[in-house]
Amino acid sequence: MSDATSEGGDCTEHRTAVTEAEVEALVRGICFKTGPPRTLGVEVEWLVHELRRPQLPVTPERLEAAYAALRAVPLKSPLTIEPGGQLELSSPPATSLMECIETVSADLDTVRAVLAEDDLGLVGFGHDPWHAPRRFLREPRYDAMEACLDRTGPAGRHMMCTSASVQVCVDAGHEEPGPLGHERRWQLAHLLGAVLVAAFANSPLIGERPTGWLSTRQLHWMEIGAGRAGAPPPDGEPRSAWARHVLDAPVMCVRRDGGPWEVPDGLTFREWTRSRTPRPPTRADLDYHLTTLFPPVRPRGHLELRMIDAQPGEDGWIVPLAVTAALFDDPEAAESAHRAVKPLAERALNLPAPHNPLWTDAARHGLADPELREAAVACFTAALEALPRLGATPAVMDAVAAHLHRYVAQGRCPADDLLDRLRDTDRRAHGRKDIRT
């Protein structure tokens, strides 16, 4: 369940032009592959910083050397580098929660050991609290992405270069109705997603100062715009709604074999299929277009939940993975989660995520919001009850319980710890100034 930007897909005629009707049929066919939930995946992104003084910048030369060393070691999870130099491991599809955790944990141990040889380490924040956006990768794809996203302001550069997340991938679900049906799972993902934003918010700082948002990373996704980073309307049948959204989303770029890629302004994929200029779009262009859309829940055959900030600690990523897996793949927990989040739908005002009041409140206030806190307590409790049925070890269950008691039950999230430490630092600094005066 990797987020690799493969252009190959599963079609052998990728250079053949596609029509509007063919695009709709292809999207409907490839993005929701239904069946019993059997596999699970996780994609963990990390900021790479100085091991002992993460506030110091790492030169591009050191990053390149470290990544060259990493490419020489065997890993089960594909390793990719994000535009700002962030490191991502994408697990292979796992048949159980513990298989997924054990595979990625072993790979992370290897990655950390290699990085430590150059005094580098992995840091889990949703947004870099110290450093301004700086692009590490210089490739036509990212040149075009930067040019496209710059049209909506600085949020795109922050997203590309200074953000990190935990992305959980679950199967689309059964074709028929019920707690594991694909329509119910699609609805659950867009309501539970706000709860996950709030419970795992971990990006309150830019330039070491508070932004006023507990998940500044989620704020930046909202600022990129609904066409690029929004979901389709919440009241439609998932396949039809997503196909329309893909066709009506703006094209990020038109690729070329040589020279910079063209970055059209306002051209939707639907308009491209009709105008067929600057050249007719192909199946490969459609496959690529799908990788340039960043909704909070992205259907890629499976469902990719993209709203969770990177978490603190070496194993913090395990908690959102375990909670999400339990709430989607255990029928009893899925039903409990559905009941817990259903009342939140009124606050969304029937507007697509994340551009609605529910998601805005989740990113700004976290679990200080009473309704989000109540839903989160119910969901974490249901997940804890389900984890033994998924074969989770005591250590995994203890980690989820610790997050529930330390954060969720207290109406807090990891971002609150960062803000508390900042306030303590400011108080000590002001105290020293008072003594000197």
Side-chain angles (χ1 to χ4, degrees), residues 264-304:
D265 190 0
L267 176 70
T268 69
F269 206 91
R270 189 187 303 277
E271 292 165 346
W272 192 11
T273 63
R274 293 176 178 179
S275 69
R276 305 175 77 79
T277 57
R279 59 169 175 78
T282 66
R283 167 65 193 273
D285 291 316
L286 172 61
D287 290 346
Y288 189 83
H289 177 62
L290 291 169
T291 73
T292 68
L293 303 181
F294 310 118
V297 182
R298 186 161 65 177
R300 294 169 63 86
H302 55 273
L303 302 182
E304 181 184 83

Side-chain angles (χ1 to χ4, degrees), residues 284-357:
D285 291 316
L286 172 61
D287 290 346
Y288 189 83
H289 177 62
L290 291 169
T291 73
T292 68
L293 303 181
F294 310 118
V297 182
R298 186 161 65 177
R300 294 169 63 86
H302 55 273
L303 302 182
E304 181 184 83
L305 280 69
R306 304 173 51 85
M307 71 289 296
I308 303 168
D309 281 358
Q311 294 298 287
E314 290 190 357
D315 298 326
W317 60 275
I318 293 175
V319 177
L321 170 62
V323 169
T324 305
L327 297 179
F328 274 86
D329 291 347
D330 180 86
E332 186 176 335
E335 190 62 43
S336 297
H338 175 72
R339 290 196 301 269
V341 302
K342 190 175 181 180
L344 298 175
E346 293 184 7
R347 290 177 57 178
L349 302 180
N350 207 36
L351 297 172
H355 301 90
N356 63 49

Side-chain angles (χ1 to χ4, degrees), residues 70-77 106-107 110:
L70 282 173
R71 293 185 187 101
V73 299
L75 298 170
K76 291 185 178 179
S77 306
D107 285 341
T110 300

